[in-house]
Amino acid sequence: MSCTNTLTFTVPQHNTLDPLTLAATIQALLNNPQHLSTLPGLSRSDASAPQSSPAPSQQVTLQHAANAMVREHAALGQWEYGSTYKYRSQLQQIINLLGPDRLTTSLCTSDLTNLKDALKFKSKNSLSLPEVDPSWVHDANIEGNIGGETIHRYFNLLKRFIVFCQESKYPLGQIDMSVKLAGQYPSTAHYATFDPTELDAIFTSRVYTTEPTERFRWTPYSYCFWLPLLGVFTGARPGELCQLYAGDVFEESGIPVIRITDRGHQQRLKTDASARHVPIHPQLIDSGFLEFVAMRRREGGRFQPLFPELPYDRRHGHARAASRWFSGQGVNDLGYLGACGLSKGMGYCLYSFRHTFVDRLRKAGVQEMMIKTLVGHTLEDDVTINYGQNFSLAQRQEKLAQLRLDVDFSHITWENYQRLQRLKPHCQKNRRAATPRR
């Protein structure tokens, strides 16, 4: 039995050769491979050696490798959509600086040092990395440049890219991975924690003290009232709170809880450990949170978003508008923080409520593993957590009730805030319809 393969050739339109003669010649060469040595530019050794295309790993450009890294991390879920967008942009800036058409074999230690120098001069609003001019040496600390955390992120992203190339069997040059930035890698503690005085300023400012008889120009959206309260009494991430549905608040074993989950439409979690049930603090109940949830259920059932006025953005989730409201958008808009005598430049943002929650529980003597359970941090580093039963809901409720903020909340009620909303009907705008759970 013989095996036949069919080859297709494209012949130039004005070719003078007889197609049949050309086909017969090619067939003769294929039948007798030794005749290939007679062709111009092909040596006998080339003809006798097995013919194969060059290995892809020998011809991989930095751009090709970067694209492969982004696709793999996104496909495997190592980066969420918003993170993929951010890291892809930052990695592309690095590749553009190094040279997208360079081969991975040309990567070397000097690329790490060159990136270190470029990051000192990168401005906050620029989408490119500057090529360093030695004459800039005295301008390394000018205002408007990116901060230390962002510098570390870019630098470590190049190191992760190099590791990806190694794991993908892309050949590299001589690289000393021990090259580091000066100083320690900044921790997440760059978010400031609110002290009692600052919390008092937040909860006695316009959102919580404006009377219906007063004239006011700001819009009393429901998230403006609830997000600071929920943040400081649940320790949940802003994105987790902004995506809640009415059905995510319910009773379990007689205890009212908030379910942090990614089961709903357009809901997502940072990690698997983020999924949890958080008991509702008594202060939230006193402020009318359960009445607020019941109102949302009447509007659209258990699939009604708690904050339908917050639009969804695939890149940023639901929290972008809320973050801008709280932190502001530049010198002309200082946000709610500005009205409280604080500012984003001081390290404050919606995330600060989460840090405050953790800080106050530690001061109350709550053990670290319980805090991790409440805020959705991984427990895999704590070996003993795998012995016996995890913390019960009643235990979590007991520890959560120990949270004390030394702030007067007696004037804060959802009923009073609704009077402001009636004066501004446009605050009820629904940007997200109720959607059944997947």
Side-chain angles (χ1 to χ4, degrees):
M1 179 181 293
S2 62
C3 179
T4 303
N5 293 314
T6 302
L7 299 178
T8 302
F9 294 92
T10 301
V11 179
Q13 181 178 0
H14 302 291
N15 181 51
T16 57
L17 293 176
D18 176 24
L20 294 178
T21 302
L22 180 61
T25 303
I26 294 173
Q27 186 63 58
L29 288 172
L30 293 175
N31 292 339
N32 300 278
Q34 64 271 21
H35 292 170
L36 291 173
S37 61
T38 62
L39 295 178
L42 188 63
S43 66
R44 183 174 300 274
S45 60
D46 293 332
S48 60
Q51 300 299 308
S52 62
S53 59
S57 62
Q58 296 176 355
Q59 303 180 35
V60 175
T61 63
L62 298 185
Q63 186 65 69
H64 176 89
N67 293 342
M69 177 177 171
V70 172
R71 286 194 300 269
E72 179 173 309
H73 280 65
L76 297 179
Q78 294 170 311
W79 293 342
E80 293 184 358
Y81 183 85
S83 298
T84 300
Y85 184 95
K86 175 179 67 178
Y87 288 129
R88 180 179 62 190
S89 173
Q90 293 174 347
L91 181 58
Q92 188 60 55
Q93 293 174 42
I94 295 172
I95 297 301
N96 289 342
L97 175 69
L98 301 182
D101 295 329
R102 287 175 51 190
L103 299 180
T104 57
T105 52
S106 68
L107 273 177
C108 55
T109 305
S110 63
D111 290 313
L112 286 170
T113 56
N114 289 340
L115 178 62
K116 283 177 58 176
D117 294 336
L119 290 171
K120 299 174 186 176
F121 302 95
K122 176 174 169 55
S123 62
K124 293 180 180 178
N125 299 321
S126 173
L127 293 179
S128 63
L129 288 160
E131 294 187 9
V132 180
D133 186 325
S135 64
W136 297 352
V137 67
H138 298 298
D139 299 326
N141 296 316
I142 59 175
E143 293 185 8
N145 285 357
I146 58 175
E149 181 199 0
T150 307
I151 289 176
H152 277 82
R153 186 187 305 129
Y154 273 88
F155 187 72
N156 288 333
L157 185 57
L158 176 55
K159 284 194 170 184
R160 291 166 67 182
F161 172 69
I162 294 171
V163 172
F164 172 80
C165 290
Q166 292 172 334
E167 294 174 345
S168 302
K169 307 302 182 183
Y170 299 153
L172 299 169
Q174 295 294 322
I175 303 176
D176 181 6
M177 293 291 281
S178 65
V179 175
K180 297 180 180 180
L181 292 172
Q184 298 295 320
Y185 183 80
S187 68
T188 54
H190 63 277
Y191 293 120
T193 299
F194 295 120
D195 63 28
T197 302
E198 292 158 345
L199 286 174
D200 184 71
I202 290 171
F203 292 110
T204 57
S205 198
R206 63 189 184 195
V207 168
Y208 301 102
T209 56
T210 300
E211 294 293 334
T213 54
E214 301 177 39
R215 296 185 64 182
F216 61 98
R217 302 181 61 180
W218 55 277
T219 304
Y221 291 116
S222 59
Y223 67 82
C224 300
F225 181 87
W226 286 115
L227 286 184
L229 288 168
L230 287 169
V232 80
F233 284 112
T234 68
R237 300 175 178 90
E240 295 171 341
L241 297 172
C242 292
Q243 67 184 10
L244 288 173
Y245 288 93
D248 292 324
V249 181
F250 55 92
E251 278 197 5
E252 182 177 327
S253 303
I255 299 174
V257 299
I258 296 175
R259 174 174 52 200
I260 306 298
T261 181
D262 60 354
R263 292 173 52 195
H265 180 63
Q266 295 178 339
Q267 287 184 325
R268 60 197 191 195
L269 296 175
K270 183 175 182 179
T271 66
D272 292 340
S274 300
R276 63 198 186 279
H277 289 180
V278 182
I280 298 178
H281 193 278
Q283 183 57 58
L284 290 174
I285 297 176
D286 292 344
S287 297
F289 182 63
L290 296 183
E291 287 78 9
F292 166 68
V293 174
M295 180 192 75
R296 287 289 187 244
R297 279 183 174 268
R298 290 193 296 271
E299 293 172 353
R302 63 192 182 98
F303 300 123
Q304 175 69 10
L306 285 190
F307 307 111
E309 65 271 29
L310 287 175
Y312 173 75
D313 179 276
R314 189 180 177 192
R315 176 184 171 189
H316 301 96
H318 302 89
R320 189 179 195 186
S323 295
R324 287 179 168 179
W325 159 76
F326 190 75
S327 300
Q329 302 181 69
V331 294
N332 296 322
D333 177 11
L334 300 180
Y336 185 63
L337 280 173
C340 302
L342 306 171
S343 71
K344 184 177 181 180
M346 300 165 67
Y348 298 115
C349 61
L350 280 175
Y351 229 95
S352 296
F353 291 110
R354 178 173 171 85
H355 286 252
T356 302
F357 175 86
V358 172
D359 181 68
R360 301 301 292 185
L361 285 180
R362 283 175 179 158
K363 290 180 178 178
V366 177
Q367 60 177 300
E368 199 67 23
M369 285 192 293
M370 172 63 81
I371 296 176
K372 286 186 175 184
T373 300
L374 290 171
V375 299
H377 281 164
T378 181
L379 299 168
E380 60 187 15
D381 294 332
D382 296 302
V383 178
T384 55
I385 199 66
N386 297 315
Y387 293 83
Q389 297 296 317
N390 202 345
F391 299 111
S392 68
L393 195 58
Q395 288 175 315
R396 281 176 268 167
Q397 182 188 43
E398 177 188 356
K399 295 302 180 182
L400 188 60
Q402 296 178 16
L403 179 66
R404 296 288 185 272
L405 300 177
D406 301 322
V407 176
D408 181 15
F409 291 92
S410 61
H411 62 287
I412 298 177
T413 66
W414 171 243
E415 182 180 1
N416 290 340
Y417 193 73
Q418 283 184 289
R419 296 192 181 100
L420 300 182
Q421 291 191 316
R422 296 188 190 105
L423 299 175
K424 305 279 186 176
H426 64 280
C427 73
Q428 305 290 350
K429 186 174 182 179
N430 191 339
R431 292 185 173 90
R432 292 160 55 209
T435 307
R437 226 179 264 281
R438 290 192 298 250

Coordinates of all heavy atoms in Angstrom, one line a residue, residues 170-240:
Y170 N 11.6 29.2 26.2 CA 12.2 30.2 25.2 C 13.6 30.5 25.7 O 13.8 30.9 26.9 CB 11.3 31.5 25.3 CG 9.9 31.4 24.9 CD1 8.9 32.3 25.4 CD2 9.5 30.4 24.0 CE1 7.6 32.2 25.0 CE2 8.2 30.3 23.7 CZ 7.2 31.2 24.2 OH 5.9 31.0 23.8
P171 N 14.6 30.4 24.8 CA 16.0 30.6 25.2 C 16.2 32.1 25.6 O 15.7 33.0 25.0 CB 16.8 30.2 24.0 CG 15.8 30.4 22.9 CD 14.5 30.0 23.4
L172 N 17.0 32.3 26.7 CA 17.3 33.6 27.2 C 18.8 33.9 27.2 O 19.6 32.9 27.1 CB 16.7 33.8 28.6 CG 15.2 33.7 28.8 CD1 14.9 33.6 30.2 CD2 14.5 34.8 28.1
G173 N 19.2 35.1 27.3 CA 20.6 35.5 27.5 C 21.0 35.3 28.9 O 20.3 34.7 29.7
Q174 N 22.1 35.9 29.3 CA 22.6 35.8 30.7 C 21.9 36.9 31.5 O 22.0 38.0 31.3 CB 24.1 36.0 30.7 CG 24.9 34.9 30.0 CD 24.8 33.6 30.7 OE1 24.8 33.6 32.0 NE2 24.7 32.5 30.0
I175 N 21.1 36.4 32.5 CA 20.3 37.3 33.3 C 20.6 37.0 34.8 O 20.4 35.9 35.2 CB 18.8 37.2 33.0 CG1 18.5 37.4 31.5 CG2 18.0 38.1 33.9 CD1 17.1 37.2 31.2
D176 N 20.9 38.0 35.5 CA 21.1 37.9 37.0 C 19.8 38.3 37.7 O 19.5 39.5 37.8 CB 22.3 38.8 37.4 CG 22.5 38.7 38.9 OD1 21.9 37.9 39.6 OD2 23.3 39.5 39.4
M177 N 19.0 37.3 38.1 CA 17.7 37.6 38.6 C 17.8 38.2 40.1 O 16.8 38.5 40.7 CB 16.9 36.4 38.6 CG 16.5 35.9 37.2 SD 15.3 37.0 36.4 CE 13.8 36.5 37.3
S178 N 19.0 38.2 40.6 CA 19.1 38.8 42.0 C 19.1 40.3 42.0 O 19.1 40.9 43.0 CB 20.4 38.3 42.6 OG 21.6 38.8 41.9
V179 N 19.1 40.9 40.8 CA 19.0 42.4 40.7 C 17.7 42.8 41.4 O 16.6 42.3 41.1 CB 19.1 42.9 39.3 CG1 18.9 44.4 39.2 CG2 20.4 42.5 38.6
K180 N 17.8 43.8 42.3 CA 16.6 44.2 43.0 C 16.5 45.8 43.0 O 17.5 46.5 42.7 CB 16.7 43.8 44.5 CG 16.6 42.2 44.6 CD 16.7 41.9 46.1 CE 16.7 40.3 46.3 NZ 16.7 40.0 47.7
L181 N 15.4 46.2 43.4 CA 15.2 47.7 43.6 C 15.6 48.0 45.0 O 15.6 47.2 45.9 CB 13.7 48.1 43.4 CG 13.1 48.0 42.0 CD1 11.6 48.2 42.1 CD2 13.7 49.0 41.1
A182 N 16.0 49.3 45.2 CA 16.4 49.7 46.5 C 15.2 49.7 47.5 O 14.1 50.0 47.0 CB 17.0 51.1 46.5
G183 N 15.4 49.3 48.7 CA 14.3 49.3 49.7 C 13.5 48.0 49.6 O 13.7 47.2 48.8
Q184 N 12.6 48.0 50.6 CA 11.7 46.8 50.7 C 10.5 46.9 49.8 O 10.0 48.0 49.5 CB 11.3 46.6 52.1 CG 12.5 46.4 53.1 CD 13.2 45.1 52.8 OE1 12.6 44.0 52.5 NE2 14.5 45.1 52.9
Y185 N 10.0 45.8 49.4 CA 8.7 45.8 48.6 C 7.6 46.3 49.5 O 7.4 45.8 50.7 CB 8.4 44.4 48.2 CG 7.1 44.4 47.3 CD1 7.2 44.7 46.0 CD2 5.9 44.0 47.9 CE1 6.0 44.7 45.2 CE2 4.8 44.0 47.1 CZ 4.8 44.3 45.7 OH 3.7 44.3 45.0
P186 N 6.9 47.3 49.1 CA 5.8 47.9 49.9 C 4.7 46.9 50.1 O 4.3 46.2 49.2 CB 5.3 49.1 49.2 CG 5.7 48.8 47.7 CD 6.9 48.0 47.8
S187 N 4.1 46.8 51.3 CA 3.0 45.9 51.6 C 1.7 46.6 51.4 O 1.7 47.8 51.1 CB 3.1 45.5 53.1 OG 2.8 46.6 53.9
T188 N 0.6 45.9 51.6 CA -0.7 46.5 51.3 C -1.0 47.5 52.4 O -2.1 48.1 52.4 CB -1.8 45.4 51.3 OG1 -1.7 44.7 52.5 CG2 -1.6 44.5 50.1
A189 N -0.1 47.7 53.4 CA -0.4 48.7 54.5 C -0.3 50.1 54.0 O -0.4 51.0 54.8 CB 0.6 48.5 55.6
H190 N -0.1 50.3 52.6 CA -0.1 51.7 52.1 C -1.4 52.3 52.2 O -1.6 53.5 52.1 CB 0.5 51.7 50.7 CG -0.4 51.0 49.7 ND1 -0.3 49.6 49.5 CD2 -1.4 51.4 48.9 CE1 -1.2 49.2 48.6 NE2 -1.8 50.3 48.2
Y191 N -2.5 51.5 52.4 CA -3.8 52.1 52.7 C -3.9 52.5 54.1 O -3.6 51.7 55.1 CB -4.9 51.0 52.4 CG -5.1 50.6 51.0 CD1 -4.9 49.3 50.6 CD2 -5.4 51.5 50.0 CE1 -5.1 48.9 49.3 CE2 -5.6 51.2 48.7 CZ -5.4 49.8 48.3 OH -5.5 49.5 47.0
A192 N -4.2 53.7 54.4 CA -4.3 54.3 55.7 C -5.4 53.7 56.5 O -6.5 53.3 55.9 CB -4.4 55.8 55.7
T193 N -5.3 53.6 57.8 CA -6.4 53.1 58.7 C -7.0 54.3 59.3 O -6.3 55.2 59.8 CB -5.8 52.1 59.7 OG1 -5.2 51.0 59.0 CG2 -6.9 51.7 60.7
F194 N -8.3 54.3 59.4 CA -9.0 55.4 60.0 C -8.9 55.3 61.6 O -9.2 54.2 62.1 CB -10.5 55.5 59.6 CG -10.7 55.7 58.2 CD1 -11.4 54.8 57.4 CD2 -10.3 56.9 57.6 CE1 -11.6 55.0 56.0 CE2 -10.5 57.2 56.2 CZ -11.2 56.2 55.5
D195 N -8.6 56.4 62.2 CA -8.7 56.4 63.7 C -10.0 56.9 64.1 O -10.8 57.4 63.3 CB -7.5 57.2 64.3 CG -7.6 58.7 63.9 OD1 -8.7 59.2 63.6 OD2 -6.5 59.3 63.8
P196 N -10.4 56.9 65.4 CA -11.7 57.3 65.8 C -12.1 58.7 65.4 O -13.2 59.0 65.1 CB -11.6 57.2 67.3 CG -10.7 56.1 67.6 CD -9.6 56.2 66.5
T197 N -11.1 59.6 65.4 CA -11.4 61.0 65.1 C -11.7 61.1 63.6 O -12.7 61.8 63.2 CB -10.1 61.9 65.3 OG1 -9.8 61.8 66.7 CG2 -10.4 63.4 65.0
E198 N -11.0 60.4 62.7 CA -11.3 60.4 61.3 C -12.6 59.7 61.0 O -13.4 60.1 60.1 CB -10.2 59.7 60.6 CG -8.9 60.6 60.6 CD -7.6 59.8 60.4 OE1 -7.7 58.5 60.5 OE2 -6.6 60.4 60.2
L199 N -12.9 58.6 61.7 CA -14.2 58.0 61.5 C -15.4 58.9 61.9 O -16.4 59.0 61.3 CB -14.3 56.7 62.3 CG -13.5 55.5 61.8 CD1 -13.5 54.3 62.8 CD2 -14.0 55.0 60.5
D200 N -15.2 59.6 63.0 CA -16.2 60.6 63.4 C -16.4 61.6 62.4 O -17.6 62.0 62.1 CB -15.7 61.2 64.8 CG -16.8 62.1 65.3 OD1 -17.8 61.6 65.8 OD2 -16.6 63.4 65.3
A201 N -15.3 62.1 61.7 CA -15.5 63.1 60.7 C -16.3 62.5 59.5 O -17.1 63.2 58.9 CB -14.1 63.5 60.2
I202 N -16.0 61.3 59.2 CA -16.8 60.6 58.0 C -18.2 60.5 58.4 O -19.1 60.8 57.5 CB -16.1 59.3 57.7 CG1 -14.7 59.5 57.1 CG2 -17.0 58.4 56.8 CD1 -13.9 58.2 57.0
F203 N -18.5 60.0 59.6 CA -19.9 59.7 59.9 C -20.7 60.9 60.5 O -21.8 60.7 61.0 CB -20.0 58.5 60.8 CG -19.5 57.2 60.1 CD1 -18.3 56.6 60.5 CD2 -20.3 56.7 59.1 CE1 -17.9 55.4 59.8 CE2 -19.9 55.5 58.5 CZ -18.7 54.9 58.8
T204 N -20.1 62.1 60.5 CA -20.8 63.3 60.9 C -20.7 64.3 59.8 O -21.0 65.5 60.0 CB -20.2 63.9 62.2 OG1 -18.8 64.2 62.0 CG2 -20.4 63.0 63.4
S205 N -20.4 63.9 58.6 CA -20.3 64.8 57.5 C -21.7 64.7 56.7 O -22.6 64.1 57.2 CB -19.2 64.4 56.5 OG -18.9 65.5 55.7
R206 N -21.7 65.3 55.5 CA -23.0 65.7 54.9 C -23.9 64.5 54.6 O -25.1 64.6 54.7 CB -22.7 66.4 53.6 CG -22.0 65.5 52.5 CD -21.6 66.4 51.4 NE -20.9 65.5 50.3 CZ -20.2 66.0 49.3 NH1 -20.0 67.3 49.2 NH2 -19.7 65.2 48.4
V207 N -23.4 63.3 54.3 CA -24.2 62.2 54.0 C -25.0 61.8 55.2 O -26.2 61.4 55.1 CB -23.3 61.0 53.6 CG1 -24.1 59.7 53.5 CG2 -22.7 61.2 52.2
Y208 N -24.5 61.9 56.4 CA -25.2 61.4 57.6 C -25.8 62.5 58.5 O -26.4 62.2 59.5 CB -24.2 60.6 58.4 CG -23.6 59.4 57.7 CD1 -22.4 59.5 57.1 CD2 -24.4 58.3 57.4 CE1 -21.9 58.4 56.4 CE2 -23.9 57.2 56.7 CZ -22.6 57.3 56.2 OH -22.1 56.2 55.4
T209 N -25.6 63.8 58.1 CA -26.1 64.9 58.9 C -27.0 65.9 58.2 O -27.6 66.7 58.8 CB -24.9 65.6 59.6 OG1 -24.1 66.1 58.6 CG2 -24.2 64.7 60.5
T210 N -27.1 65.8 56.9 CA -27.9 66.8 56.1 C -29.4 66.5 56.4 O -29.8 65.4 56.4 CB -27.7 66.6 54.6 OG1 -26.3 66.9 54.3 CG2 -28.5 67.6 53.8
E211 N -30.1 67.6 56.7 CA -31.5 67.5 57.0 C -32.3 67.8 55.7 O -31.9 68.6 54.9 CB -31.9 68.5 58.1 CG -31.3 68.2 59.5 CD -31.8 66.9 60.1 OE1 -32.9 66.5 59.7 OE2 -31.1 66.3 60.9
P212 N -33.5 67.2 55.6 CA -34.3 67.4 54.4 C -34.7 68.9 54.3 O -35.1 69.3 53.2 CB -35.6 66.6 54.7 CG -35.1 65.5 55.7 CD -34.1 66.2 56.5
T213 N -34.7 69.7 55.3 CA -35.0 71.1 55.2 C -33.9 72.0 54.6 O -34.1 73.1 54.3 CB -35.4 71.7 56.6 OG1 -34.3 71.4 57.5 CG2 -36.6 71.0 57.1
E214 N -32.7 71.4 54.5 CA -31.5 72.1 54.0 C -31.5 72.0 52.5 O -32.0 71.1 51.9 CB -30.2 71.5 54.6 CG -30.1 71.6 56.1 CD -28.9 71.0 56.6 OE1 -27.8 71.1 55.9 OE2 -28.9 70.2 57.6
R215 N -30.8 73.0 51.9 CA -30.6 72.9 50.4 C -29.2 72.2 50.2 O -28.2 72.6 50.8 CB -30.5 74.3 49.8 CG -31.9 75.1 49.9 CD -31.8 76.4 49.2 NE -31.6 76.2 47.8 CZ -31.4 77.2 46.9 NH1 -31.5 78.5 47.4 NH2 -31.2 77.0 45.6
F216 N -29.2 71.2 49.3 CA -27.9 70.5 49.1 C -27.9 70.2 47.6 O -28.9 69.9 47.0 CB -27.8 69.3 50.0 CG -28.9 68.2 49.8 CD1 -28.7 67.1 48.9 CD2 -30.1 68.4 50.4 CE1 -29.7 66.2 48.8 CE2 -31.1 67.4 50.2 CZ -30.9 66.3 49.4
R217 N -26.7 70.1 47.1 CA -26.5 69.9 45.6 C -26.0 68.4 45.3 O -26.1 68.0 44.2 CB -25.5 70.9 45.1 CG -25.9 72.3 45.3 CD -24.9 73.3 44.7 NE -24.8 73.1 43.3 CZ -24.0 73.9 42.5 NH1 -23.2 74.8 43.1 NH2 -23.9 73.7 41.2
W218 N -25.5 67.7 46.3 CA -25.0 66.4 46.0 C -26.2 65.4 45.9 O -27.3 65.7 46.3 CB -24.0 65.9 47.1 CG -24.6 66.0 48.5 CD1 -24.7 67.1 49.3 CD2 -25.2 64.9 49.2 NE1 -25.2 66.8 50.5 CE2 -25.6 65.5 50.5 CE3 -25.4 63.6 49.0 CZ2 -26.2 64.7 51.5 CZ3 -26.0 62.8 50.0 CH2 -26.4 63.4 51.2
T219 N -25.9 64.3 45.3 CA -26.9 63.3 45.0 C -26.9 62.2 46.1 O -25.9 61.5 46.2 CB -26.8 62.6 43.6 OG1 -26.7 63.7 42.6 CG2 -27.9 61.7 43.3
P220 N -28.0 61.9 46.8 CA -28.0 61.0 47.9 C -28.2 59.5 47.4 O -29.3 58.9 47.6 CB -29.1 61.4 48.8 CG -30.1 62.1 47.8 CD -29.2 62.7 46.7
Y221 N -27.3 59.0 46.6 CA -27.4 57.6 46.2 C -27.3 56.7 47.4 O -26.7 57.0 48.5 CB -26.2 57.2 45.3 CG -26.3 57.9 43.9 CD1 -25.3 58.8 43.6 CD2 -27.3 57.6 43.0 CE1 -25.3 59.4 42.3 CE2 -27.3 58.2 41.8 CZ -26.3 59.1 41.4 OH -26.4 59.7 40.2
S222 N -28.0 55.5 47.3 CA -28.0 54.6 48.5 C -26.6 54.1 48.8 O -26.3 53.9 50.0 CB -28.9 53.4 48.1 OG -28.5 52.7 47.0
Y223 N -25.7 53.9 47.8 CA -24.4 53.4 48.2 C -23.6 54.4 49.0 O -22.7 54.1 49.7 CB -23.6 53.0 46.9 CG -23.2 54.1 46.0 CD1 -22.1 54.9 46.2 CD2 -24.0 54.4 44.8 CE1 -21.7 55.9 45.3 CE2 -23.6 55.4 43.9 CZ -22.5 56.1 44.2 OH -22.2 57.2 43.3
C224 N -23.9 55.7 48.8 CA -23.2 56.7 49.6 C -23.4 56.6 51.1 O -22.5 56.8 51.9 CB -23.6 58.1 49.2 SG -23.3 58.5 47.4
F225 N -24.6 56.1 51.4 CA -25.0 55.9 52.8 C -24.4 54.6 53.3 O -23.9 54.5 54.4 CB -26.5 55.9 52.9 CG -27.0 55.7 54.3 CD1 -27.2 56.8 55.2 CD2 -27.4 54.5 54.8 CE1 -27.7 56.6 56.5 CE2 -27.8 54.3 56.1 CZ -28.0 55.4 56.9
W226 N -24.6 53.5 52.5 CA -24.3 52.2 53.1 C -22.8 51.7 52.9 O -22.4 51.0 53.8 CB -25.2 51.2 52.4 CG -26.6 51.3 52.9 CD1 -27.7 51.6 52.2 CD2 -27.0 51.0 54.3 NE1 -28.8 51.6 53.1 CE2 -28.4 51.2 54.3 CE3 -26.4 50.6 55.4 CZ2 -29.2 51.1 55.5 CZ3 -27.1 50.5 56.6 CH2 -28.5 50.7 56.6
L227 N -22.1 52.1 51.9 CA -20.8 51.6 51.7 C -19.8 51.9 52.9 O -19.1 50.9 53.3 CB -20.2 52.0 50.4 CG -20.8 51.4 49.1 CD1 -20.0 51.8 47.9 CD2 -20.7 49.8 49.2
P228 N -19.7 53.1 53.4 CA -18.8 53.3 54.5 C -19.3 52.5 55.7 O -18.4 51.9 56.4 CB -19.0 54.8 54.8 CG -19.4 55.4 53.5 CD -20.3 54.4 52.9
L229 N -20.6 52.3 56.0 CA -21.0 51.6 57.1 C -20.7 50.1 56.9 O -20.2 49.4 57.8 CB -22.5 51.8 57.3 CG -23.0 53.1 57.9 CD1 -24.5 53.3 57.7 CD2 -22.5 53.3 59.3
L230 N -21.1 49.6 55.7 CA -20.8 48.2 55.4 C -19.3 47.9 55.5 O -18.9 46.8 56.0 CB -21.4 47.8 54.1 CG -22.9 47.7 54.0 CD1 -23.4 47.5 52.6 CD2 -23.4 46.5 54.8
G231 N -18.5 48.8 54.9 CA -17.1 48.6 54.9 C -16.5 48.4 56.3 O -15.7 47.5 56.5
V232 N -16.9 49.3 57.2 CA -16.2 49.3 58.5 C -16.8 48.2 59.4 O -16.1 47.9 60.4 CB -16.4 50.7 59.1 CG1 -17.7 50.9 59.7 CG2 -15.3 51.0 60.2
F233 N -18.0 47.7 59.1 CA -18.6 46.7 60.0 C -18.6 45.3 59.4 O -19.0 44.4 60.1 CB -20.0 47.1 60.4 CG -20.1 48.2 61.4 CD1 -20.6 49.5 61.1 CD2 -19.7 48.0 62.7 CE1 -20.6 50.5 62.0 CE2 -19.8 49.0 63.7 CZ -20.2 50.2 63.3
T234 N -18.1 45.1 58.2 CA -18.0 43.8 57.6 C -16.6 43.5 57.2 O -16.2 42.3 57.1 CB -18.9 43.6 56.4 OG1 -18.4 44.4 55.3 CG2 -20.3 44.0 56.7
G235 N -15.7 44.5 56.9 CA -14.4 44.3 56.5 C -14.3 43.8 55.0 O -13.3 43.4 54.6
A236 N -15.4 43.9 54.3 CA -15.5 43.4 52.9 C -14.8 44.4 52.0 O -14.8 45.6 52.3 CB -16.9 43.1 52.5
R237 N -14.3 43.8 50.9 CA -13.7 44.7 49.9 C -14.8 45.5 49.2 O -16.0 45.0 49.1 CB -13.0 43.8 48.8 CG -11.9 43.0 49.4 CD -11.3 42.0 48.3 NE -10.2 41.2 48.8 CZ -10.4 40.0 49.4 NH1 -11.6 39.5 49.5 NH2 -9.3 39.4 49.8
P238 N -14.5 46.7 48.7 CA -15.5 47.5 48.1 C -16.2 46.8 46.9 O -17.4 46.9 46.8 CB -14.7 48.8 47.6 CG -13.6 48.9 48.6 CD -13.2 47.5 48.9
G239 N -15.4 46.1 46.1 CA -16.0 45.4 45.0 C -17.0 44.3 45.4 O -18.0 44.0 44.7
E240 N -16.7 43.7 46.6 CA -17.6 42.6 47.1 C -18.9 43.2 47.5 O -20.0 42.6 47.3 CB -16.9 41.9 48.2 CG -15.7 41.1 47.8 CD -14.9 40.6 49.0 OE1 -15.1 41.1 50.2 OE2 -14.1 39.6 48.8

